[in-house]
Amino acid sequence: MQEDKIREALVELLYRNSYGVVVANILISLAAAYVLSSTVSANWLIGWLGALYLLTAMRVLAARRFFSRDREGTPALRWAWLAAGFSCVSGLLWGMLGWVGFLPEAPVIFSFTVIVLTGLICGTVPSLSAFPPALVGSIIATVLPITVRSITNGGDIAGAYLALLAGLVTINLYYCRTTYQMLRETIRLRLENVDLVSHLQEERDRAQAADRAKTRFLAAASHDLRQPIHALSLLIATLAVLGHRGAVPSGDASDLAGKAKSIVGNLSALLNGLLDISRLDAGVVTVARETVNLPQLFNQLSNEFASAAKERGLDWRVVERGLQVDSDPMMLKRILGNLLSNAFRYTSSGGVLLGCRRRGASVEIQIWDTGPGIPADQQAMVFEEFVQLQNPARDRTQGLGLGLAIVRRTAVLLQHPLKLASVTGRGSMFSVTVPKASAVETPSLPDNRTSPAGIAVSIMVVEDEADVLDIMVQLLTLQGHRVYAGRSATEVRQIHAEAMVAGDAPVDLIIADYRLGDGTTGLDAIEALCAHIGRSVPAVIVTGDTSPSRIKEATASGHRILHKPITGEELHEAIVAACVGGRESINCDC
């Protein structure tokens, strides 16, 4: 590709220099005709001048057409050979001047002819070196007539002149080669600089866009995080007031607990959305492709969104064609679920349609709605985080603005092209294109094995936040577990060592927060505790990080990961899975 650009630039330089040749042809030819007019017939000079001027006019026209041509049309190399042809004919015309001006008996005319030809030969180096065949052809055509004349006339002066011509041609061919290499290198560097400047501009624009997105992201995330925390603070204050008045009635306690659960649910939804985006950006989400039965998937989605359609009074239609596609079933369902949630959220009248169309070796799954539509200049924005065109007040009942951002990232991960078509005031159509399955496979049945709910194990807990540590120890103890807890691995080792002195102190599981004090991580704590115990032990990492790099690092450890905030049920399930579920996690090696 770069070689084509270099060739193009060299040919442009060749034609640009042709304008200078035009001026030289006009001025020098007139002077030559005047000097030779005393020894050469007027008819010959007129014919020579006419041929030279006609050729000059053709070169000008060719140069104009070259610069105004369609760059995708005739290749530049053909134009280069055309210029070389013009140069050869021009050299031959000037060589004819040497033929008639080779008059040793007329020293003035002879000297003039030698000077003119020498200057013309030397002048070809800067003007024609961009395409060496043009220069070589021009030089040979220029010296050929006078060389033949020198050989046929003989004499001492002819021999001397032939030697001069040979040296002159050799030197100019050498300089042609050197100049050509210099021109190529100069053009290559210029093109690289142009590409570099273009790349830097793209990177600058990308950085500016990322900075604007970050500012918008932080502003929206800050608002959406503050709202549930603010509500939770007021709820706690209300609970404190009720507590000061005495025993809290069961009805009030139940009502407050329900509100607290709803608030924490909203907060968890936001944090889980941020976590999903970070996991996708970190590249730790694994794609498990298999044959997906679209009728079965569509039936599940139809049932899930039936109540939403009924509540909003919308027409909800699902059209399936008995097709199978190759995708990750959970990820594909989430993409369609997010798109459908978005469609129902912003459609106040009319309906929503889920369907699919064959597209060659693929299937395009489409979701149509009769909502307000999206202006063309804002369609790319809707796939960015926290962008809600119809929700400037950030009403959380209309979502958080993360659904389409997750859809875009998931579609990229699955390599499923995503498309949006929308008309303002008439509705929108989102679609995802999925490859058809090569063969129908029977999906594997889910493992419905249940784990014992009343399991009690011995657990080491490392958590540097005192409040979180106390609550977790209290919860685990209430669940029947034996706990060795501390704010660092060293503190946990000391507590466990004291327990061993008092009697048997088994360890079945380690739970560690990812970020600990003094720059250590939960991975460091797990390794140190495994070394203390003397064997590998299942481990669970608890983290609140949403940084893609941190998530990638924690996931690479192979331990089970719980993302804050976690519920008591999630913690219990993780303990059961780690200690009873066949030790599927990758244990630490000590």
Side-chain angles (χ1 to χ4, degrees):
M1 188 66 177
Q2 187 182 32
E3 185 64 28
D4 294 338
K5 291 181 178 179
I6 293 175
R7 184 181 297 111
E8 177 79 22
L10 287 170
V11 177
E12 286 186 3
L13 180 61
L14 181 67
Y15 274 92
R16 194 174 296 116
N17 289 336
S18 65
Y19 289 113
V21 175
V22 168
V23 177
N25 280 352
I26 294 175
L27 297 179
I28 298 175
S29 62
L30 290 175
Y34 175 76
V35 172
L36 294 175
S37 60
S38 60
T39 56
V40 179
S41 68
N43 291 335
W44 191 93
L45 289 174
I46 292 173
W48 180 74
L49 286 172
L52 191 61
Y53 289 168
L54 177 61
L55 177 65
T56 301
M58 293 174 63
R59 296 180 75 169
V60 171
L61 291 175
R64 291 172 64 88
R65 290 197 59 182
F66 171 78
F67 287 111
S68 62
R69 80 195 193 284
D70 179 11
R71 296 298 179 94
E72 302 298 327
T74 307
L77 192 60
R78 293 189 181 182
W79 287 95
W81 282 110
L82 178 62
F86 284 139
S87 298
C88 291
V89 175
S90 178
L92 187 60
L93 287 173
W94 283 106
M96 294 306 298
L97 181 68
W99 179 275
V100 299
F102 190 81
L103 300 172
E105 63 277 9
V108 174
I109 295 177
F110 183 74
S111 299
F112 176 80
T113 302
V114 171
I115 292 172
V116 169
L117 294 182
T118 302
L120 289 172
I121 293 172
C122 294
T124 57
V125 173
S127 61
L128 300 178
S129 289
F131 189 58
L135 183 141
V136 174
S138 176
I139 290 179
I140 292 176
T142 302
V143 302
L144 184 60
I146 198 169
T147 300
V148 174
R149 188 67 182 273
S150 298
I151 294 173
T152 55
N153 281 8
D156 295 336
I157 193 170
Y161 189 61
L162 285 174
L164 172 65
L165 282 176
L168 187 64
V169 169
T170 302
I171 292 172
N172 279 277
L173 292 179
Y174 169 77
Y175 281 117
C176 167
R177 178 174 175 272
T178 303
T179 305
Y180 174 72
Q181 292 175 344
M182 292 176 61
L183 288 173
R184 280 186 59 86
E185 183 66 15
T186 301
I187 292 172
R188 185 186 66 80
L189 293 175
R190 177 169 63 83
L191 292 175
E192 287 183 356
N193 288 335
V194 170
D195 290 341
L196 179 61
V197 170
S198 177
H199 178 69
L200 290 175
Q201 290 175 341
E202 291 177 359
E203 291 297 322
R204 179 202 61 192
D205 295 342
R206 189 177 294 111
Q208 291 176 346
D211 184 63
R212 290 192 297 269
K214 176 184 176 183
T215 301
R216 184 185 66 252
F217 179 92
L218 292 176
S222 175
H223 175 276
D224 289 355
L225 283 170
R226 285 176 181 273
Q227 291 296 89
I229 293 174
H230 172 64
L232 198 57
S233 298
L234 296 177
L235 192 65
I236 293 172
T238 302
L239 184 61
V241 171
L242 290 175
H244 282 301
R245 293 179 179 177
V248 180
S250 60
D252 291 341
S254 177
D255 180 59
L256 291 174
K259 291 180 179 178
K261 186 175 182 179
S262 175
I263 293 170
V264 173
N266 289 334
L267 183 60
S268 297
L270 172 61
L271 295 177
N272 287 336
L274 295 175
L275 175 63
D276 289 338
I277 289 177
S278 296
R279 283 169 55 82
L280 289 167
D281 287 343
V284 300
V285 179
T286 302
V287 177
R289 290 186 179 276
E290 61 181 71
T291 296
V292 180
N293 187 295
L294 286 186
Q296 183 179 5
L297 175 58
F298 280 18
N299 183 60
Q300 293 175 2
L301 293 170
S302 176
N303 295 332
E304 288 180 14
F305 287 92
S307 60
K310 185 176 181 180
E311 289 175 5
R312 301 181 68 88
L314 299 176
D315 179 25
W316 168 224
R317 290 197 301 147
V318 177
V319 180
E320 54 88 9
R321 295 191 173 186
L323 299 174
Q324 284 80 32
V325 296
D326 180 27
S327 183
D328 183 303
M330 297 303 296
M331 292 187 185
L332 180 59
K333 183 179 179 182
R334 187 164 194 188
I335 288 176
L336 299 179
N338 282 350
L339 291 176
L340 286 168
S341 296
N342 196 67
F344 278 103
R345 184 177 299 119
Y346 293 108
T347 302
S348 57
S349 63
V352 177
L353 169 67
L354 170 63
C356 60
R357 296 176 181 271
R358 290 186 177 90
R359 302 296 189 200
S362 301
V363 176
E364 183 181 7
I365 305 174
Q366 300 177 337
I367 295 173
W368 296 79
D369 66 62
T370 56
I374 304 170
D377 60 343
Q378 297 179 348
Q379 291 181 9
M381 294 174 53
V382 299
F383 293 100
E384 298 178 7
E385 299 86 354
F386 291 107
V387 172
Q388 290 179 300
L389 302 180
Q390 308 297 329
N391 187 21
R394 304 296 302 168
D395 179 5
R396 290 194 305 280
T397 62
Q398 297 188 40
L400 300 169
L402 295 176
L404 291 182
I406 294 173
V407 165
R408 181 185 63 178
R409 285 169 166 80
T410 307
V412 170
L413 179 64
L414 293 172
Q415 297 181 340
H416 295 346
L418 197 64
K419 186 172 71 173
L420 165 60
S422 184
V423 178
T424 305
R426 297 182 59 182
S428 304
M429 188 280 289
F430 289 84
S431 75
V432 57
T433 302
V434 188
K436 287 196 296 188
S438 57
V440 178
E441 299 175 3
T442 303
S444 58
L445 296 175
D447 186 359
N448 293 322
R449 292 176 301 170
T450 58
S451 300
I455 182 174
V457 295
S458 298
I459 305 173
M460 286 182 165
V461 178
V462 186
E463 170 60 67
D464 61 340
E465 289 288 339
D467 293 339
V468 176
L469 179 64
D470 291 342
I471 294 173
M472 182 174 288
V473 170
Q474 185 177 7
L475 176 61
L476 292 174
T477 302
L478 288 173
Q479 291 177 345
H481 305 299
R482 183 176 183 180
V483 182
Y484 314 100
R487 300 180 63 183
S488 66
T490 301
E491 188 174 334
V492 173
R493 283 201 304 264
Q494 292 174 351
I495 294 173
H496 182 257
E498 293 172 0
M500 291 180 65
V501 173
D504 186 31
V507 177
D508 302 302
L509 178 68
I510 299 173
I511 299 177
D513 186 53
Y514 186 70
R515 286 200 186 193
L516 300 172
D518 301 325
T520 60
T521 67
L523 299 177
D524 300 326
I526 292 170
E527 183 178 356
L529 293 176
C530 282
H532 166 73
I533 299 169
R535 61 184 176 85
S536 62
V537 176
V540 175
I541 295 176
V542 181
T543 179
D545 273 296
T546 57
S547 165
S549 60
R550 291 282 188 176
I551 292 175
K552 190 172 185 178
E553 181 181 355
T555 303
S557 69
H559 300 301
R560 282 184 172 81
I561 299 176
L562 292 178
H563 295 278
K564 300 177 183 178
I566 60 174
T567 65
E569 292 81 0
E570 290 173 337
L571 182 60
H572 176 70
E573 290 174 1
I575 293 172
V576 171
C579 297
V580 180
R583 297 183 182 268
E584 298 168 3
S585 64
I586 299 175
N587 299 329
C588 56
D589 295 326
C590 305

